[in-house]
Amino acid sequence: MAVGLTSKSLARLKTQGFQAERQTKGTLASVVRLIPPSGMSLAQAQRAVRVADAGATADFDHFYYTDGAAGCTGTGCEAVSLVGWNLPVARQCGPVPTIGLIDTGIDREHEALQGQSIEIVSGLQLRGKPSQRDHGTAVAALLVGRSGSSAPGLLPDANILAVDAFYRDGGTADRTDVTALVMALEALAEKNVRVVNMSLSGPPNEVLRRAIESAQAKGMVIIAAAGNNGAGAEPSYPAAYPGVIAVTAVDNKRDVYRRATQGDYIDLAAPGVDLWVAAPGGGGTAKSGTSYAVPFISAAAAVLHASNATLKPADLKAALESSTMDLGKPGRDKTYGNGLLQAANLCAPQADETPVAQSKVNVPPSIP
């Protein structure tokens, strides 16, 4: 993978036997996937790119995976409201922006998603077989599942622009790559999407980092899963990149998910253990993983943006970090970050409306 190659440098590489397999539009970063000539090692290929263009950045085309885990097999698997979410109050904050979702395929015929505002972006030239729809369906329903359905969402009135960036390539797991992720981010940037849910993780990659930085410079708030590799694992990306909001998962006792990756990059915690989520084909199942905590923070970011559309990504992140319940060691820590999201005061209700907390109607929180 190379980013920042000039057309002249690319032409020079082609004369050396390189083939350009895929290339992004360049909305965020001009990324090209290069196939080195036969007999050339990957390390030699990286050096050749650097020699051809000192201003370009080259890295491998790493794979990234969804951060869902096994389902719950015991009792008590229903979702629990831990963040003080109240849908009527959220609706008073104003129309929320379209939420970008980079994930697997989605079953829009699921009863929780029928009639909901979900637009699917296609045409990413994905290799391999189509992705499974389990993960994408679950995350989409957590965000916008229809009220009264088997899997109601946090913001059922919101719009989702979803990009299926995953595929199955010779195995059973859904995965994506750097090219597909950059193309997905570009598709969202072209639609002026401001909040992006990335319930996925993988290794660090310089090309992806450049694209993330470009997206942030355009005002996009990137919210990503902390990863499910355990407390002693290396940081997960894109969550660990500067400015990206890294989300870990907690259970109904506010204990961290046992498989959650920990580190200095963790920003916020949200429910993500034994959550009841929509399953493709109908009905639902209990799932755990940092993936399923991300929609809580994405929904909160959308509400904050609705109440103040001028907030810059850094200011929005700071506002979310200040709306937390401290968990674990006092102050920010490697396990919970700044703590568990508390959504009750994300925005002030309109002056001409009565806050739900002061009304005589007891409306239960709408938590999936």
Side-chain angles (χ1 to χ4, degrees):
M1 300 294 301
V3 58
L5 274 176
T6 65
S7 57
K8 185 179 294 185
S9 299
L10 181 57
R12 187 179 302 121
L13 287 169
K14 287 181 178 179
T15 64
Q16 297 175 22
F18 282 84
Q19 297 179 44
E21 184 186 45
R22 287 196 295 174
Q23 191 164 1
T24 68
K25 293 181 179 179
T27 306
L28 296 176
S30 182
V31 176
V32 60
R33 188 172 189 269
L34 297 169
I35 299 177
S38 178
M40 180 180 288
S41 70
L42 292 176
Q44 290 173 328
Q46 277 190 299
R47 286 195 294 271
V49 171
R50 287 195 291 267
V51 170
D53 193 332
T57 299
D59 206 336
F60 305 126
D61 195 3
H62 291 117
F63 292 120
Y64 295 78
Y65 295 86
T66 58
D67 278 321
C72 174
T73 57
T75 59
C77 295
E78 67 277 2
V80 178
S81 174
L82 298 177
V83 298
W85 189 270
N86 193 310
L87 179 57
V89 171
R91 282 173 169 155
Q92 294 178 21
C93 300
V96 298
T98 295
I99 299 173
L101 176 59
I102 301 177
D103 215 290
T104 70
I106 297 172
D107 179 12
R108 285 188 290 180
E109 296 305 310
H110 189 285
E111 58 107 0
L113 298 178
Q114 285 183 3
Q116 299 306 91
S117 180
I118 301 175
E119 179 184 350
I120 306 292
V121 177
S122 57
L124 264 61
Q125 307 169 30
L126 299 176
R127 52 192 178 188
K129 297 179 180 179
S131 65
Q132 301 175 92
R133 298 181 297 170
D134 302 64
H135 196 270
T137 300
V139 174
L142 283 170
L143 285 168
V144 299
R146 186 168 51 82
S147 296
S149 69
S150 61
L154 295 158
L155 293 171
D157 301 329
N159 304 317
I160 283 183
L161 184 60
V163 187
D164 180 1
F166 283 78
Y167 54 88
R168 300 173 70 189
D169 190 10
T172 59
D174 293 316
R175 70 184 187 187
T176 185
D177 53 54
V178 176
T179 314
L181 288 178
V182 175
M183 287 180 170
L185 285 168
E186 287 184 334
L188 297 179
E190 289 172 359
K191 297 284 188 177
N192 203 33
V193 170
R194 287 290 172 262
V195 177
V196 182
N197 189 111
M198 298 183 73
S199 292
L200 55 91
S201 69
N205 183 280
E206 283 301 299
V207 174
L208 180 61
R209 180 186 63 80
R210 288 270 296 268
I212 291 286
E213 287 179 351
S214 181
Q216 291 168 331
K218 291 182 179 293
M220 296 172 74
V221 177
I222 311 294
I223 305 158
N228 299 332
N229 296 318
E234 292 296 316
S236 294
Y237 295 84
Y241 286 128
V244 175
I245 301 176
V247 186
T248 193
V250 298
D251 61 20
N252 59 11
K253 295 180 180 178
R254 303 189 183 95
D255 293 326
V256 72
Y257 175 46
R258 61 181 178 83
R259 293 180 56 188
T261 307
Q262 300 180 25
D264 292 328
Y265 68 99
I266 304 299
D267 293 303
L268 296 165
V273 179
D274 292 342
L275 285 183
W276 184 258
V277 299
T285 185
K287 291 284 188 178
S288 297
T290 56
S291 270
Y292 307 115
V294 177
F296 286 85
I297 307 303
S298 296
V303 168
L304 272 176
H305 193 280
S307 63
N308 186 354
T310 64
L311 277 177
K312 295 181 179 179
D315 297 328
L316 191 147
K317 180 181 179 184
L320 288 173
E321 291 175 345
S322 66
S323 301
T324 56
M325 173 190 295
D326 191 27
L327 299 177
K329 298 178 181 179
R332 182 177 178 127
D333 59 62
K334 296 181 179 180
T335 303
Y336 301 98
N338 292 279
L340 176 65
L341 172 71
Q342 297 298 285
N345 299 310
L346 287 177
C347 68
Q350 301 297 321
D352 59 344
E353 297 184 13
T354 304
V356 171
Q358 298 175 14
S359 71
K360 296 181 180 180
V361 180
N362 184 20
V363 182
S366 178
I367 291 291

